[in-house]
Amino acid sequence: MKILLVEPPYYTRFPPLGLLKLASYHRSRGNQVKLVRGFKEDLKFNPDRIEITSLFTYAWKPVHEVIKFYHNKFSSAKIRVGGIYASLMPRRLKSFFPFIDIHIGLFEAADDYLPAYDLLNEVENWKKWDSTILFTSRGCIRSCPYCIVPKLEGKIRSVVEDLERHIYPNHKRIILWDNNFFASPNWKKILKDLQNIGLPVDFNQGIDARLINDETARMIADLRTPLIRTAFDNLHEKNALTNAIEVFSQSGIRRRKIFIYTLYNFYSEKYHSDIPATFFERIKHIADLGCVSYPMRYEPLTSLEKNSFVSPLWTDYQLKMIGKARRILGYGGAFPPYKGLVKKFEKAHNFEEAFSVYPLKGKDSKIQPLTQQPKIILKHAT
Amino acid sequence: MVLFTDDAFGAKLLEAITAGLYDGNLNCLREYVQNCIDSNGNKVNIDFENRRTVLVIEDNGCGMSKEELAEALHLGKSEKTDTAIGWRGIGIWSGVPTCRRIVIITKKRNHSKIRVEINADKLRQQYTLNISAIKVLTDVTGDIEELELGSEESIQESQYTMVRLEEILPNQRTIFTEDEIRKYLSRVVPAPFNTEKFTLGKEINKRLLENGVKTKEMDIFFEKQKIFRPPYSDDIFFGKIIDKKFIVNGVTVAYGWLLSSKNNRKLNPPNRGIYFKKKGVTIGSENLVAGLHGGNYNQWQYGEIHIITDELKENAPRNNFEANNDLLDPFYDQVGKFVRQLQLMNQYQSHNIVTNSIEQIKKQLDVDEVKPAREKIIRLKKKLQRKRSFPKEPALQEMKKVIDKKSATNRTSLKALGKKVQDKMKEQRPDRIKEKRDRFTEFIKTAHPRLKKHLEKTTKKGKMELNIDAMEPVKILLQQKTGLTLDTICKLSQKAYDWKRVQKGDNGPILLLSGPYRDRLFGVMIHALHYMFVDPFKHEKGKLSFAFYESMTEEEKIDTLTEFHMAQNLILRLIEKSNRIRKP
């Protein structure tokens, strides 16, 4: 059988891991596979089946377009769509394309296969790809309201035993996509294996600061890690974060190498939502610690348009201020602990002062920002 | 009482028949290719997939039905007849030590396409467990599942079997390389000769057929390139094919053909070695045959010994034959003796054929190393004069003619080279030296009569050398000029010229050339020349005054000699011109 694997042409920094595993799965059943990104007119391949992946819900348009395109081109081929968008909004997808099959969630049968990275050689975007992407565990111990993982993958479990055989020959880097690496029951063995293999390791999804102690920090410091990612999404993680940074620092990891994702614009009726003041406090604290903060704007799980959601506790203007500050004051969307920037945050009395690109003058300075008024963190439904 | 139940066979047995049996890990390739050949197809494709992490072996043979596949998975049972290569029924499991999964996909005509997966990872983990082998096999083997056909396949027509070794283990990746696999396949599987490069292959194929060797040669492709079996070249061998039949108790056990190297040196792999072959598949390595003769065997031959009789069966790992018959020992004995004869032939060849040395001599002559070339020729001539006996083995007698013929041509070319060397040596006596000698004799003609006389006397004897007489003409002239004895002259001149400090003495010079200062120098000059060359205390060879001279090349010696006599000539003329000024 001939199977065409399609990656819709949305923006992404990573090749379609799911499709690559699916490719190996199909090959193992004697099928011929071909991978394409976007629309390819001249394929020289007449598929019996077409498998299409999807990513974030707000990137739904390219998915719809490739379905249309390949359905027209190969009308007799059965089409199946999987991935995040398809898993989260299957009914929406089906209403547009009643003729397709939809796969929801993980395709467990293919999960253990070594991805067919060799297919990337034929895709212009991914020709130079040289990193092994790896889940050593699936799921997470947390159930953060803004995160899709618990819903898609469920409870944490280890999925890799012998790491070495999952590393693709000649790859130069390992990218871990574990949702919460140190919560995995097998983390110690995997970390030792990573040290033995000796390739640079990127904990791409970030490290849970609450699980960092002397031992974990030392073991991370022994790895070749380009940078450490962690998060500061809620103020009451402050102590855990401070502690983690101290421990990292003592293990010899430079503070500037630590990237801290900072969620903003999150709103939930049931859980802690954030407001500009608490966001500012977190950013300031990170600057004080000497680390890099990376603001992340909250997007609802089924958002169909990026950056369109505005929390009731934020104003559109405030959200735009952050965007502007990131572009003008920051570097690459992040706020590194530049001396001037740290000072600016230190001097600022409120959110507006901290993130305005120009010093506030006259009338503006007297405005009592909205964030100062309700000095509460909402916690509903109690 | 029932002694054996399913529980009687433990999991530990499984390791012995998978990992243990196929010692080198590439040997599983042989097992799978054999199955391909037995399936009566005409083509095997072996390909890597996903950057050498998966190896796929696919044939276009008859494929298997569900029942047949189930049967094929059984251990140690095989429906295959004697004409097939595989017959033990364990080959399918041979890939277990190499990969994570073995997948078999097969399609027989008018049957559905089916697939089974063996979890090799799990099987290896359970080797050591103390549980029933049946349980383990059941646990690691998936169900036989039916697969959907693609639009390009048909239920009636399509037939094939594909074995996939999936996710080859990291520790196997150094073995499962393109080079290693290609080398292995060409050595082991029944591939044809590449008759374009190895034209003798055609004749060998003919003889194999005539002698009853039946092999199913297959078109085997690895990474789209066709596999051929060695040798890959004609011109390293003598064109004569050696035939040898091995007959035990009237039964022809095997037929062998061999080619012998033209050059007196060990052949290089893959064009080296003598291999046992059964139904085209190699049994054991080149060392199996070489080792049957107890002594040393330099592998100057390439050859195949094809087992014809069915009574001689290969063992399961195919590294030797089963010993449970009366044929093996006498057969091995014959092969060992034959190898001994080959070694004797090699020695005969090494003695009578000197092509390599002749090539070396030619090279030496090209760069004008005449002397060593000449020595080598003398040595070789002596070597060729000694006679050596040729082995009595009838199969090799034709080779004696070939070697002797070659030896004869060697001798003629050696003669020609000898002449060339002589010519070169004549040529090489450099003209310059001759020129210089001529110039020297010219000089003698116009030299001071004293010197002329002296030199004519010495050169007549043929010795153009410096010796203790060299300053004789000066001494004689001084005696004549001053009318004094040599002793007195010495004492006087020592006093007069103060040879040690070159100061004016009380008695002044005895010969006057010009002003007093120059006269002193004049005296010193005579002395220096005398002292440098002919100090009687230092004239022995190797002593200081002569050492510099002895170490010179011939050309330099002539130069120095000429210059010395010219200087001496000048002194003679100066003495001649001087006046006797004082009587002692």
Side-chain angles (χ1 to χ4, degrees):
Chain A
M1 222 165 27
K2 289 186 171 176
I3 294 170
L4 182 68
L5 305 165
V6 182
E7 183 195 24
Y10 38 56
Y11 168 80
T12 169
R13 288 175 50 219
F14 300 102
L17 185 66
L19 286 185
L20 299 183
K21 286 188 177 180
L22 206 54
S24 288
Y25 170 86
H26 282 307
R27 279 172 165 177
S28 182
R29 273 136 197 86
N31 299 324
Q32 270 177 278
V33 291
K34 186 168 179 71
L35 174 71
V36 292
R37 179 177 156 89
F39 317 95
K40 285 278 157 334
E41 282 293 348
D42 185 24
L43 270 181
K44 291 173 192 149
F45 190 80
N46 197 14
D48 299 303
R49 268 213 239 159
I50 301 172
E51 308 255 35
I52 299 172
T53 188
S54 62
L55 202 59
F56 302 116
T57 49
Y58 53 75
W60 60 272
K61 261 186 200 150
V63 180
H64 285 212
E65 278 162 15
V66 292
I67 295 174
K68 262 184 246 163
F69 179 82
Y70 287 105
H71 180 62
N72 283 339
K73 206 169 159 67
F74 307 111
S75 51
S76 64
K78 193 88 191 125
I79 294 180
R80 185 164 71 148
V81 186
I84 297 172
Y85 166 58
S87 296
L88 290 178
M89 307 178 94
R91 263 177 293 168
R92 180 172 195 271
L93 197 52
K94 194 87 181 174
S95 69
F96 278 91
F97 308 104
F99 51 86
I100 59 167
D101 289 336
I102 293 175
H103 182 87
I104 297 175
L106 279 179
F107 185 52
E108 298 270 1
D111 200 27
D112 193 38
Y113 282 88
L114 188 69
Y117 289 105
D118 62 328
L119 294 175
L120 296 179
N121 287 336
E122 291 158 28
V123 180
E124 198 51 47
N125 261 40
W126 306 121
K127 263 186 181 156
K128 287 177 184 162
W129 185 260
D130 61 353
S131 311
T132 290
I133 303 173
L134 200 60
F135 284 98
T136 74
S137 63
R138 289 278 190 177
C140 184
I141 48 167
R142 315 271 178 211
S143 47
C144 308
Y146 43 80
C147 177
I148 188 74
V149 169
K151 298 176 187 72
L152 276 184
E153 297 187 7
K155 286 276 159 265
I156 196 141
R157 63 208 177 272
S158 175
V159 292
V160 162
E161 277 178 30
D162 184 352
L163 185 72
E164 198 189 349
R165 62 177 58 164
H166 292 273
I167 309 302
Y168 199 66
N170 301 344
H171 268 182
K172 297 187 171 62
R173 199 160 62 114
I174 299 169
I175 298 175
L176 290 179
W177 272 3
D178 290 52
N179 304 295
N180 195 337
F181 183 83
F182 288 97
S184 151
N186 217 2
W187 70 266
K188 213 179 262 186
K189 183 180 180 301
I190 300 283
L191 214 53
K192 274 181 188 151
D193 287 350
L194 285 171
Q195 279 174 8
N196 288 338
I197 291 165
L199 291 174
V201 182
D202 181 2
F203 292 93
N204 193 269
Q205 302 301 294
I207 291 167
D208 190 339
R210 289 161 285 187
L211 299 177
I212 293 303
N213 53 36
D214 282 345
E215 188 189 15
T216 45
R218 227 176 302 123
M219 286 181 84
I220 293 172
D222 284 346
L223 289 174
R224 290 163 66 193
T225 43
L227 52 93
I228 304 282
R229 300 165 215 264
T230 181
F232 189 14
D233 295 330
N234 202 307
L235 254 188
H236 51 239
E237 291 161 8
K238 188 171 178 176
N239 287 342
L241 180 82
T242 315
N243 178 49
I245 303 302
E246 284 306 320
V247 174
F248 274 139
S249 185
Q250 278 163 24
S251 308
I253 295 170
R254 285 179 58 222
R255 283 164 186 260
R256 286 217 172 193
K257 235 178 85 173
I258 304 173
F259 260 60
I260 303 174
Y261 292 100
T262 323
L263 185 74
Y264 66 102
N265 187 36
F266 173 61
Y267 178 78
S268 159
E269 292 192 347
K270 287 186 196 163
Y271 302 93
H272 301 279
S273 303
D274 71 292
I275 54 173
T278 59
F279 172 71
F280 168 49
E281 206 178 329
R282 282 182 282 145
I283 294 287
K284 196 169 146 185
H285 184 61
I286 293 169
D288 287 345
L289 287 172
C291 300
V292 185
S293 54
Y294 193 93
M296 293 281 268
R297 180 169 172 167
Y298 171 71
E299 204 63 59
L301 299 181
T302 51
S303 147
L304 290 173
E305 198 189 336
K306 207 181 174 189
N307 294 346
S308 62
F309 173 76
V310 180
S311 158
L313 305 177
W314 285 74
T315 64
D316 192 36
Y317 180 72
Q318 287 167 329
L319 294 174
K320 280 184 179 145
M321 272 181 90
I322 296 180
K324 205 169 180 187
R326 286 172 71 178
R327 282 194 303 277
I328 295 169
L329 304 175
Y331 178 81
F335 294 123
Y338 297 148
K339 244 184 195 167
L341 207 53
V342 175
K343 228 179 210 168
K344 181 174 165 64
F345 289 149
E346 210 168 81
K347 276 188 185 165
H349 297 99
N350 54 40
F351 173 87
E352 274 72 10
E353 271 182 48
F355 293 101
S356 66
V357 176
Y358 309 104
L360 294 174
K361 273 180 195 165
K363 234 176 157 186
D364 289 349
S365 60
K366 279 172 198 152
I367 292 175
Q368 279 290 311
L370 180 70
T371 47
Q372 296 284 312
Q373 289 155 9
K375 212 181 177 204
I376 46 156
I377 297 166
L378 286 178
K379 196 170 186 182
H380 286 272
T382 42
Chain B
M1 194 180 107
V2 182
L3 265 180
F4 297 105
T5 61
D6 283 354
D7 288 342
F9 301 95
K12 289 171 187 168
L13 196 64
L14 296 174
E15 183 172 14
I17 55 176
T18 54
L21 206 50
Y22 304 106
D23 41 358
N25 289 313
L26 285 182
N27 284 338
C28 66
L29 285 183
R30 177 192 60 208
E31 297 300 311
Y32 293 123
V33 171
Q34 277 166 12
N35 288 339
C36 296
I37 295 168
D38 290 343
S39 70
N40 290 320
N42 56 15
K43 193 174 168 189
V44 182
N45 283 322
I46 302 170
D47 288 290
F48 272 128
E49 200 180 87
N50 204 9
R51 201 177 289 166
R52 297 184 293 285
T53 56
V54 178
L55 191 74
V56 186
I57 302 133
E58 186 178 3
D59 65 62
N60 59 357
C62 60
M64 286 177 274
S65 66
K66 224 170 186 174
E67 294 71 32
E68 284 164 334
L69 177 58
E71 191 68 28
L73 287 166
H74 288 174
L75 284 159
K77 281 167 81 182
S78 177
E79 301 271 295
K80 289 183 183 174
T81 55
D82 270 354
T83 53
I85 304 169
W87 49 277
R88 276 197 168 76
I90 33 184
I92 274 188
W93 299 85
S94 60
V96 169
T98 63
C99 60
R100 292 189 69 194
R101 286 182 296 270
I102 301 170
V103 173
I104 300 151
I105 298 163
T106 181
K107 162 93 183 65
K108 191 176 181 159
R109 281 187 185 148
N110 297 314
H111 284 76
S112 46
K113 177 177 170 185
I114 48 175
R115 171 184 191 270
V116 73
E117 181 176 318
I118 296 167
N119 188 334
D121 257 356
K122 212 171 190 179
L123 180 51
R124 285 192 311 275
Q125 279 163 17
Q126 299 193 354
Y127 277 160
T128 49
L129 298 183
N130 208 6
I131 49 174
S132 141
I134 307 292
K135 216 174 193 171
V136 171
L137 292 178
T138 318
D139 190 26
V140 302
T141 313
D143 291 332
I144 296 179
E145 48 179 329
E146 283 186 21
L147 298 176
E148 219 178 300
L149 288 183
S151 55
E152 287 173 13
E153 295 169 293
S154 92
I155 189 86
Q156 290 82 22
E157 287 302 315
S158 299
Q159 59 163 25
Y160 50 84
T161 301
M162 175 195 275
V163 175
R164 300 172 52 88
L165 304 178
E166 294 190 342
E167 294 180 36
I168 291 165
L169 302 176
N171 60 12
Q172 301 282 309
R173 286 183 195 153
T174 47
I175 312 168
F176 279 76
T177 61
E178 277 189 36
D179 269 10
E180 291 295 322
I181 290 179
R182 187 161 284 125
K183 260 191 250 164
Y184 179 84
L185 288 174
S186 59
R187 207 179 62 227
V188 172
V189 300
F193 292 121
N194 184 351
T195 45
E196 274 173 32
K197 285 182 183 167
F198 179 61
T199 49
L200 287 168
K202 283 179 205 155
E203 175 63 23
I204 290 169
N205 283 336
K206 210 175 101 194
R207 292 194 193 189
L208 285 172
L209 266 182
E210 284 168 6
N211 284 285
V213 178
K214 283 172 235 142
T215 36
K216 270 193 254 171
E217 277 177 12
M218 284 277 265
D219 285 345
I220 298 165
F221 292 84
F222 175 57
E223 292 282 82
K224 316 275 180 274
Q225 271 182 37
K226 195 169 173 179
I227 297 288
F228 294 105
R229 76 181 201 259
Y232 299 126
S233 159
D234 279 324
D235 50 10
I236 49 173
F237 300 112
F238 286 121
K240 180 87 201 142
I241 300 166
I242 304 168
D243 289 290
K244 170 75 182 169
K245 270 186 186 172
F246 297 91
I247 302 168
V248 178
N249 306 332
V251 180
T252 309
V253 179
Y255 164 76
W257 66 263
L258 295 109
L259 289 173
S260 203
S261 164
K262 254 192 220 172
N263 300 314
N264 295 1
R265 61 173 92 95
K266 207 169 175 178
L267 291 160
N268 291 326
N271 298 322
R272 178 176 86 192
I274 304 171
Y275 297 88
F276 284 128
K277 300 251 175 187
K278 175 106 190 250
K279 288 169 189 160
V281 180
T282 302
I283 308 296
S285 68
E286 60 190 275
N287 295 330
L288 177 58
V289 177
L292 291 177
H293 150 57
N296 185 31
Y297 165 56
N298 299 331
Q299 305 188 329
W300 290 10
Q301 278 78 24
Y302 184 91
E304 296 173 347
I305 299 177
H306 290 262
I307 309 298
I308 298 171
T309 174
D310 283 332
E311 282 168 64
L312 206 57
K313 284 195 163 37
E314 67 280 18
N315 65 8
R318 291 176 205 265
N319 55 17
N320 210 323
F321 295 96
E322 298 280 12
N324 57 3
N325 57 66
D326 300 333
L327 292 176
L328 188 65
D329 284 345
F331 170 59
Y332 269 8
D333 196 41
Q334 272 191 34
V335 177
K337 277 181 183 151
F338 183 64
V339 173
R340 169 76 194 144
Q341 298 280 304
L342 287 177
Q343 176 67 1
L344 289 175
M345 181 174 82
N346 292 345
Q347 283 165 2
Y348 181 84
Q349 177 179 338
S350 131
H351 228 90
N352 288 288
I353 295 185
V354 289
T355 316
N356 297 345
S357 307
I358 287 175
E359 289 305 315
Q360 278 174 18
I361 293 169
K362 276 182 188 162
K363 268 183 205 157
Q364 279 175 334
L365 286 181
D366 282 347
V367 292
D368 278 341
E369 286 177 11
V370 183
K371 244 185 179 175
R374 186 166 156 251
E375 281 162 17
K376 200 167 247 168
I377 290 173
I378 294 168
R379 266 207 313 278
L380 286 179
K381 274 185 178 163
K382 269 186 195 159
K383 184 182 169 185
L384 288 177
Q385 271 164 13
R386 270 175 278 158
K387 289 268 180 272
R388 239 197 136 91
S389 63
F390 191 82
K392 296 204 170 64
E393 169 65 43
L396 300 180
Q397 293 314 310
E398 286 289 308
M399 278 303 293
K400 184 174 191 305
K401 289 178 197 161
V402 176
I403 294 172
D404 286 347
K405 199 176 156 197
K406 182 83 188 165
S407 182
T409 47
N410 273 181
R411 275 165 225 253
T412 31
S413 41
L414 210 55
K415 227 177 217 170
L417 280 176
K419 210 166 172 229
K420 201 171 170 190
V421 165
Q422 273 181 356
D423 291 349
K424 276 234 168 187
M425 286 186 84
K426 264 186 204 162
E427 230 174 74
Q428 218 184 31
R429 189 158 298 172
D431 288 337
R432 269 195 305 181
I433 293 179
K434 199 173 168 245
E435 244 172 60
K436 281 179 178 167
R437 277 172 194 277
D438 290 349
R439 212 182 303 151
F440 185 61
T441 30
E442 272 311 298
F443 155 72
I444 292 171
K445 281 179 194 162
T446 57
H448 187 277
R450 287 269 157 218
L451 184 60
K452 196 173 164 186
K453 205 173 169 188
H454 174 77
L455 285 175
E456 271 167 1
K457 205 163 71 189
T458 51
T459 47
K460 233 176 224 168
K461 289 175 195 163
K463 50 170 184 176
M464 280 227 339
E465 287 269 315
L466 267 183
N467 55 36
I468 193 148
D469 304 332
M471 282 295 271
E472 203 70 12
V474 176
K475 282 185 204 164
I476 294 169
L477 192 63
L478 274 175
Q479 272 175 313
Q480 203 182 22
K481 192 87 186 174
T482 55
L484 300 170
T485 64
L486 204 60
D487 264 7
T488 334
I489 292 174
C490 274
K491 274 178 200 160
L492 277 175
S493 72
Q494 243 172 22
K495 243 183 182 176
Y497 299 117
D498 197 353
W499 287 350
K500 272 172 199 160
R501 280 176 290 141
V502 198
Q503 274 174 2
K504 195 179 171 185
D506 292 337
N507 296 318
I510 48 172
L511 290 173
L512 188 69
L513 192 66
S514 61
Y517 178 71
R518 291 208 186 103
D519 289 338
R520 266 202 311 282
L521 293 184
F522 174 49
V524 171
M525 196 165 90
I526 298 171
H527 170 69
L529 203 63
H530 177 75
Y531 190 82
M532 285 251 316
F533 286 90
V534 234
D535 181 359
F537 301 105
K538 292 182 179 172
H539 73 275
E540 277 175 59
K541 260 196 178 183
K543 284 282 167 71
L544 266 177
S545 58
F546 276 89
F548 77 95
Y549 179 76
E550 305 292 350
S551 62
M552 283 174 181
T553 64
E554 202 181 346
E555 197 179 342
E556 283 169 337
K557 275 183 183 171
I558 293 175
D559 286 344
T560 313
L561 208 63
T562 315
E563 280 151 15
F564 165 71
H565 284 300
M566 280 179 169
Q568 193 187 19
N569 195 41
L570 173 69
I571 285 171
L572 284 173
R573 289 194 196 283
L574 290 175
I575 294 172
E576 190 85 74
K577 284 263 179 332
S578 64
N579 297 314
R580 176 82 172 89
I581 53 164
R582 192 158 67 84
K583 281 189 179 163

